[in-house]
């Protein structure tokens, strides 16, 4: 692969706080990192590759803070009974699906969605996996798909007691084994968290076992938290604590942990999340689709909670998700003029902070020394594009534009809208359809 790549003639958006807009600058990638940002013509050659970004915006590869690769093969499935509430969504669809997944399904499902992530400019994804009758080796199979796609992913297995003690223990061991692999290999594409489904499907003994194993292997935790009101009610009835308070009592919150959703986190819960430094992954499209509510992003941000943006497998297009996040917050707050900066911060500031913490080197920003995860997006701004207007362009304009080129770790994965990293989308789709037909028969 080319080692020294020069990107020139584009408008560079750095992300971070503040998101800077750089005109007339070129960007040099060398040894997988951004080596130099300098005026065009000031960077000495030779170059192995020059990418001409005329008529394009150059910005960091996008980060998805909460994803489920395993859900790909459910697309179009019409066998699930209609659901009247969130628990029925789980019972009728997702828990029926994950019990039927085999390891081949797991790997192909990941590979299909990762090819789409490259097309959408999403280069870093934090996944949360479940396949209770194909647990052992599932994270290695997903990791193999990640390696082939060329992106970065932080993986975990969602431990739950809903399928019995033996499967719960197998999930604990799968998390620990993959975390040890990542610690040993230090592969720049792969990281690990310790996965838990949700407090309402986990007994106290399992939470304690997970906390101990997580400390042993040195990871934080990734868990669904207060996604639906039923999660809160179940924990209060059985344990006398909200999900946030219960997870906190078992030592599962902290700056290395992700609490996904938090739709029904109370003000006291939000204070706990902020004090622990726990990262919250907001997933607005999923929450709306499941009719569980809209998270109080404004309240969490006001209390100092670090709120980022995930998709919960509804899409891998992060700029699509951020638009829905903004509209949803307007609806929740009954205020069409609120939350712009808070929502913009989820994707353009908090997600890069999360990825940087998980990987241990700068991700999600275009700055010297950061990982060379870069996308080129077709965009001719119809109004002034500068530091004062950039967020408006991202949400109202660039979100509708096409990604032209995707680079991750200095490796070109897509160039001029053609995947160049060996992924054959037609072959993948054919294999996926074959596996999906068999899966649907089992379902």
């Amino acid at each position: 692969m080319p080692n020294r790549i020069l990107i020139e003639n584009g408008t560079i958006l750095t992300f971070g706080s503040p998101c800077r807009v750089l005109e007339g600058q070129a960007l040099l990638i060398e040894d997988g990192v951004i080596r130099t940002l300098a005026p065009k013509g000031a960077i000495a050659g030779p170059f192995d590759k020059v990418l001409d970004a005329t008529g394009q915006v150059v910005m960091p590869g996008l980060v998805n803070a909460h994803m489920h690769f395993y859900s790909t093969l459910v697309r179009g499935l019409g066998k699930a009974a209609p659901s009247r509430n969130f628990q029925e969504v789980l019972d009728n669809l997702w828990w029926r699906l994950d019990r039927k997944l085999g390891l081949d399904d797991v790997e192909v499902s990941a590979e299909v969605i990762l090819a789409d992530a490259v097309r959408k400019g999403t280069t870093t994804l934090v996944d949360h996996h479940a396949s209770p009758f194909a647990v052992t080796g599932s994270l290695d199979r997903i990791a193999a798909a990640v390696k082939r796609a060329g992106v970065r992913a932080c993986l975990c297995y969602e431990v739950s007691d809903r399928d019995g003690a033996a499967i719960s223990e197998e999930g604990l061991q799968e998390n620990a084994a993959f975390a040890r692999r990542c610690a040993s290999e230090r592969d720049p594409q792969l990281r690990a968290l310790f996965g838990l489904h949700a407090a309402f499907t986990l007994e106290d003994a399992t939470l304690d076992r997970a906390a101990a194993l997580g400390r042993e292997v040195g990871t934080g935790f990734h868990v669904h938290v207060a996604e639906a009101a039923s999660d809160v009610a179940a924990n209060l009835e059985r344990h006398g604590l909200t999900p946030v308070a219960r997870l906190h009592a078992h030592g599962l919150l902290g700056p290395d942990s992700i609490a996904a959703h938090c739709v029904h986190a109370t003000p006291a819960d939000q204070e706990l999340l902020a004090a622990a430094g726990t990262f919250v992954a907001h997933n607005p499209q999923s929450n709306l689709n499941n009719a569980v509510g809209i998270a109080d992003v404004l309240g969490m941000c006001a209390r100092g909670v670090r709120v980022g943006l995930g998709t919960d497998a509804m899409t891998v297009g992060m700029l699509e998700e951020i638009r829905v996040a903004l509209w949803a917050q307007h609806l929740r707050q009954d205020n069409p003029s609120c939350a712009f900066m808070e929502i913009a911060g989820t994707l353009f500031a908090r997600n890069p902070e999360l990825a940087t913490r998980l990987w241990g080197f700068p991700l999600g920003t275009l700055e010297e020394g950061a990982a060379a995860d870069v996308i080129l997006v077709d965009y001719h701004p119809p109004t002034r594009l500068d530091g004062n207007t950039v967020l408006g362009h991202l949400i109202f304009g660039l979100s509708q534009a096409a990604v032209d080129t995707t680079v991750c770790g200095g490796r070109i994965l897509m160039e001029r809208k053609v995947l160049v990293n060996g992924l054959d989308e037609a072959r993948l789709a054919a294999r996926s359809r074959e596996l999906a037909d068999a899966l649907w028969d089992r379902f």
Side-chain angles (χ1 to χ4, degrees):
M1 86 181 181
N3 184 46
R4 298 188 89 234
I5 302 172
L6 184 73
I7 302 174
E8 60 181 4
N9 300 326
T11 300
I12 297 174
L13 310 185
T14 63
F15 286 15
S17 298
C19 177
R20 295 182 296 147
V21 180
L22 307 178
E23 296 282 4
Q25 301 282 304
L27 183 153
L28 175 66
I29 295 170
E30 191 173 45
D31 297 325
V33 302
I34 298 170
R35 188 67 62 200
T36 306
L37 278 166
K40 181 183 176 181
I43 302 174
F47 310 111
D48 299 306
K49 181 85 173 180
V50 176
L51 294 174
D52 182 0
T54 299
Q56 295 175 329
V57 164
V58 181
M59 60 190 201
L62 300 167
V63 177
N64 186 337
H66 181 69
M67 182 64 189
H68 295 291
F69 296 153
Y70 75 85
S71 68
T72 306
L73 301 187
V74 81
R75 195 177 300 172
L77 174 66
K79 290 188 173 185
S83 300
R84 295 165 298 179
N85 54 54
F86 182 62
Q87 186 59 52
E88 289 190 3
V89 170
L90 296 176
D91 290 333
N92 295 341
L93 177 59
W94 296 115
W95 290 355
R96 285 182 66 194
L97 171 77
D98 65 31
R99 289 178 179 125
K100 300 300 182 183
L101 291 170
L103 291 177
D104 288 345
D105 304 319
V106 167
E107 186 169 352
V108 167
S109 185
E111 195 162 9
V112 167
I113 204 67
L114 289 170
D116 194 34
V118 172
R119 287 209 172 276
K120 298 295 196 302
T122 301
T123 55
T124 299
L125 304 100
V126 183
D127 192 57
H128 196 268
H129 175 65
S131 54
F133 291 91
V135 178
T136 301
S138 59
L139 297 184
D140 284 339
R141 293 291 288 268
I142 296 171
V146 172
K147 292 294 293 179
R148 286 193 295 275
V151 298
R152 305 181 198 273
C154 179
L155 308 181
C156 71
Y157 185 87
E158 65 156 56
V159 175
S160 172
D161 288 319
R162 67 181 182 265
D163 294 302
I167 290 175
S168 175
E169 180 62 26
E170 193 177 0
L172 290 166
Q173 294 304 323
E174 179 69 2
N175 276 306
F178 188 73
R180 292 187 184 105
R181 170 189 166 177
C182 288
S184 171
E185 294 179 359
R186 301 303 294 174
D187 187 321
Q189 286 182 248
L190 298 171
R191 289 294 184 267
L193 284 169
F194 207 105
L196 300 166
H197 173 247
F200 77 95
T201 69
L202 290 159
E203 301 299 331
D204 286 345
T206 307
L207 293 179
D208 287 338
R209 181 102 167 91
L213 272 173
R215 286 192 297 270
E216 181 183 317
V217 298
T219 68
F221 300 88
H222 188 177
V223 54
H224 300 111
V225 178
E227 182 174 359
S230 55
D231 182 12
V232 179
N235 280 276
L236 286 171
E237 180 181 349
R238 294 172 55 201
H239 304 281
L241 295 170
T242 67
V244 172
R246 188 162 166 243
L247 293 168
H248 177 69
H250 287 272
L252 297 166
L253 301 182
D256 296 319
S257 292
I258 298 173
H261 301 293
C262 293
V263 175
H264 296 274
T266 67
D269 290 335
Q270 294 174 20
E271 296 286 357
L272 268 180
L273 291 164
T278 300
F279 190 94
V280 169
H282 177 44
N283 304 276
Q285 290 199 70
S286 171
N287 298 154
L288 292 167
N289 182 56
N290 289 327
V292 295
I294 301 167
D296 181 17
V297 173
L298 279 184
M300 286 192 279
C301 289
R303 293 179 175 90
V305 180
R306 298 184 302 159
V307 183
L309 193 67
T311 66
D312 206 32
M314 294 293 289
T315 179
V316 283
M318 298 308 300
L319 293 173
E320 171 191 335
E321 191 75 29
I322 197 171
R323 285 164 63 86
V324 177
L326 184 56
W327 320 152
Q329 213 55 213
H330 289 173
L331 181 62
R332 179 190 166 103
Q333 308 294 341
D334 193 24
N335 180 354
S337 299
C338 75
F340 183 83
M341 293 304 296
E342 290 86 352
I343 292 298
T346 63
L347 181 59
F348 307 129
R350 301 293 88 74
N351 278 15
E353 288 175 11
L354 172 68
T356 296
R357 186 170 187 93
L358 290 173
W359 264 263
F361 50 81
L363 284 177
T365 59
L366 298 187
E367 60 186 43
E368 292 180 358
D373 299 356
V374 186
I375 60 175
L376 277 57
V377 183
D378 296 334
Y379 191 64
H380 293 280
T383 60
R384 184 176 68 253
L385 174 55
D386 58 23
N388 294 319
T389 66
V390 60
L391 296 179
H393 280 276
L394 280 161
I395 294 174
F396 293 98
L398 279 155
S399 59
Q400 309 302 294
V403 177
D404 176 81
T405 298
T406 301
V407 181
C408 186
R411 179 183 175 190
I412 298 173
L413 307 181
M414 180 174 73
E415 184 175 2
R416 303 307 182 206
K417 301 180 181 64
V418 176
L419 297 182
V420 294
N421 62 337
L423 284 179
D424 183 333
E425 288 173 291
R427 178 193 60 78
L428 263 178
R431 176 62 173 151
S432 179
R433 287 192 296 271
E434 175 187 334
L435 288 171
D437 284 344
L439 174 66
W440 290 13
D441 288 342
R442 297 195 301 276
F443 188 95

